[in-house]
Structure formats: C-alpha cells, structure tokens
Amino acid sequence: MVSERSLAVLRAIVQDYVASREPVGSKTIVERHHFGVSAATIRNDMALLEEEELIAAPHTSSGRIPTDKGYRVFVDQLADIRPLSTAQRQAIETFLGESNDLDELLSRTVRLVAQLTRQLAVVQYPSFARARVRHVELVSLAPTRVLCILISDSGQVEQRLAELDHPVDEETLHRLRDRLNEVAAGLTMTEAATALSAETEQADRAHAEVLRTLAATLADQANVTRSDRLVVAGAANLVRTEQDFAGNILGVIEAIEEQVVILRLFGEMHSDDGIAVRIGRENAPYGLGETSVVTSSFAVPGRDVSRLGVVGPTRMDYSQSMAAVRAVARYLSRTLGES
C-alpha cells in the first residue's frame, strides 16, 4: 500500500514533469514542495512508488517520470479539477455565443477547447436519429426540381434537392406534401424512413414516380445520423508535443484521421461524474497507446448524447484539460437545450 505522503509525492512528480518535461528528483521535490522531510525520506517514497510501477526512470539519472499507471492514480485520486477563471468562462460565453447555427457552434467549440487546453480538440455531432419529424415541406424550384425540407422537433433542418424525370405541378406537390406530413409527422427519423418507403409502394400510378423520388429522398434524409461526423481543431498542438511520443507521431495523426477510431473510443468512454479519461496503454487497441483522451458528454433534446474531448500526450495538464472540456460541454448542453 502507498502512503498518503507517497501519493502526495506522486502528485508533485506529475505536476513538475508536466510543467517541465524533465525527470523529477528528490532534491527538486524538497525544494519546490516543502514536505518538511529530508531528501532521503522522499527518495524512500519514490522507491515505493517505483515498486508499485507508478513512476519510472527514463534513463540512469536520479529523476523519475510518471508511468501510465501513475497518471491513472493521479487522475482518479489526486487531480483537482480547477475551476476556469472568470476570463476563461467569459471567453466561452462570448466566443460560442456568436455562433449562428450548429455547424458554426461546433467549429468554434473545438477551436476554443484547443486554445484553452493546448491539445487537439474533437467534438462529435449530435445524432439526428432520435429526433422526431415536425414538418415536411416541398418547394418547387423548377418543373422537374423540388427542394425537400425536413424539420425535426429538435430544430434541425435538413434539405435535399430532388431531380424528377417528369414535371410536377404545384397542386400535385401540395397533395404530396400533405400526405407526407400525414404519414411522417411525429415519427422518429428511422420510423419516418420506413413509413415513407412503404408509402411509395402504395402510391397510385399518376403520382408513383414523383412520390417514389421524393419519398426516397426524404428517406435518405431521415436516415442521416450526423453522430458519425467529427469536427477537429488544434492539430498543430499535437505536432508541437512530438517529443513526448516515443514512436512516430504520424501514426497518432493517422489514427485520429480515421474518424471511426475516435468514434469507437468515444463510445466506450462513460463516467458518472460527466468527465472520462483514458490514459496511454488503455488506448492501445485504437492505435493511440501513447496518448491520453479526456472527454465529457453533452446532450441535445431529442438526440443521442454526444461527446467533446481532447487528445494529447500522456504528459498532459489533466486538471486544466478536464476543467475546460467539462465547462464547454456544459455550455453546449445548456445552449442547445435552450435553442
């Protein structure tokens, strides 16, 4: 068992190593952290931490650095999630409050989180699959061109252009719109897709072509789930920390570019307190064994929970990253819920 003082020494090693990127020795700990004990006593504590594989010597020097296991203990038991400063909170409110739509809001979100944490930031689009159809609108742009507009109960608007083989008049278009609203309104996107597909099979010959084309178009819209899309910012932050990666950083970048990898990882990251952290080798199955990932969830009415996070080296300021990710995720939940 590791004593309370040994855990405090581990905290000091993590904090100093994150700040300096230099192995931390007992003399440095005594000078900086004022434990009130001798350097020999601190060395004994460090020996116990090394036996527990919480710290390790990167080379023959007397200094030690945290291991993945050490970072895990730090995050689980020792990290204090420092509240953001007033200026940082105001920056969130101001910068994100200027967004005009969901796309811009999420784009601004990752840029802000990347700036606050100095890590690579990732946000997952809210899923459109659980939203319900509020209204379907059909707008004639030309005799054979119709704009299909699908409006959900969560405020999302999806548009798709339908190209028809034969012209359709306004009266027919209005009847089709009324029928589509009768069939789809109140259904989830998945239910609406099924209902609209079935409707084409029951259409009379006069309207079969038009209805088939429009219903198929709307079915495609209904099946769109934007949760498989990510917005990323701050790649330069990752490159600047290249010396923290023993291997080739290109492998990390390639894994991140494979968005399905991050989506799978996000899908496994859950936490009762709203913040989840995966460290080093815990991410090895995803090709990210030298990185740490910090995420928090945000919710949008009528949609699945989505996640916001940062990816960086294990030598990360966990307290700052956790605080920033959690604060911005809470802002997203509040803002999207209100709108």
Side-chain angles (χ1 to χ4, degrees):
M1 295 294 292
V2 179
S3 68
E4 288 297 321
R5 190 181 65 231
S6 294
L7 288 176
V9 171
L10 174 62
R11 184 205 298 263
I13 292 172
V14 170
Q15 292 173 341
D16 285 359
Y17 180 64
V18 167
S20 69
R21 198 186 273 113
E22 295 292 334
V24 182
S26 57
K27 182 179 178 181
T28 300
I29 294 174
V30 170
E31 291 174 350
R32 291 182 182 175
H33 297 277
H34 309 294
F35 277 88
V37 296
S38 67
T41 301
I42 297 297
R43 282 195 295 273
N44 289 335
D45 289 323
M46 293 175 68
L48 291 174
L49 294 172
E50 194 163 8
E51 287 180 9
E52 294 294 328
E53 299 181 340
L54 299 177
I55 61 174
H59 40 72
T60 57
S61 73
S62 60
R64 298 294 184 270
I65 66 173
T67 62
D68 289 354
K69 183 178 178 182
Y71 282 124
R72 170 50 63 193
V73 172
F74 173 79
V75 168
D76 290 347
Q77 299 185 30
L78 304 174
D80 299 319
I81 305 180
R82 301 186 298 269
L84 297 184
S85 67
T86 300
Q88 289 173 321
R89 292 196 301 271
Q90 289 176 345
I92 293 173
E93 297 280 346
T94 301
F95 187 66
L96 299 186
E98 295 174 353
S99 305
N100 295 317
D101 55 31
L102 180 62
D103 290 339
E104 184 180 4
L105 175 62
L106 297 185
S107 176
R108 283 174 172 261
T109 292
V110 288
R111 286 155 52 199
L112 178 62
V113 172
Q115 182 178 359
L116 289 173
T117 64
R118 293 187 291 278
Q119 308 293 344
L120 181 140
V122 184
V123 67
Q124 176 186 14
Y125 260 90
S127 171
F128 197 41
R130 290 177 55 192
R132 294 184 178 273
V133 176
R134 176 185 294 169
H135 183 70
V136 176
E137 188 60 57
L138 305 177
V139 179
S140 177
L141 302 180
T144 59
R145 181 175 296 176
V146 176
L147 181 65
C148 308
I149 305 172
L150 184 63
I151 304 172
S152 77
D153 60 354
S154 58
Q156 181 71 25
V157 178
E158 293 287 339
Q159 301 182 64
R160 188 71 61 83
L161 194 62
E163 299 284 354
L164 308 177
D165 292 335
H166 302 286
V168 58
D169 57 50
E170 288 285 352
E171 182 180 351
T172 300
L173 205 61
H174 289 164
R175 288 202 301 271
L176 289 173
R177 179 200 60 196
D178 293 343
R179 177 58 182 162
L180 290 173
N181 277 294
E182 181 182 341
V183 169
L187 300 181
T188 65
M189 297 296 134
T190 302
E191 293 168 344
T194 301
L196 292 174
S197 296
E199 190 69 17
T200 63
E201 299 175 2
Q202 303 172 10
D204 58 71
R205 288 187 176 183
H207 298 157
E209 179 205 347
V210 174
L211 186 57
R212 186 178 297 109
T213 302
L214 296 179
T217 300
L218 289 173
D220 287 343
Q221 287 178 280
N223 280 323
V224 170
T225 58
R226 302 179 75 175
S227 61
D228 60 355
R229 178 182 168 192
L230 298 174
V231 184
V232 180
N237 292 332
L238 199 62
V239 174
R240 278 194 288 268
T241 61
E242 183 172 4
Q243 59 187 295
D244 288 315
F245 297 89
N248 192 332
I249 194 173
L250 291 179
V252 176
I253 295 174
E254 288 172 356
I256 293 170
E257 288 179 345
E258 290 288 338
Q259 295 200 356
V260 65
V261 172
I262 299 296
L263 288 166
R264 285 173 49 213
L265 179 56
F266 274 17
E268 293 186 1
M269 296 182 68
H270 303 287
S271 176
D272 294 335
D273 62 1
I275 195 83
V277 182
R278 293 278 291 262
I279 299 170
R281 60 190 178 190
E282 297 170 359
N283 300 316
Y286 302 94
L288 297 170
E290 291 187 279
T291 70
S292 286
V293 182
V294 177
T295 70
S296 186
S297 59
F298 62 95
V300 184
R303 305 191 197 179
D304 296 327
V305 170
S306 296
R307 302 193 78 82
L308 164 70
V310 296
V311 180
T314 54
R315 192 192 67 85
M316 174 190 293
D317 186 340
Y318 290 95
S319 297
Q320 173 67 15
S321 295
M322 293 162 71
V325 167
R326 185 176 63 178
V328 176
R330 287 177 174 175
Y331 176 88
L332 286 177
S333 289
R334 185 174 71 251
T335 300
L336 293 172
E338 291 172 352
S339 60

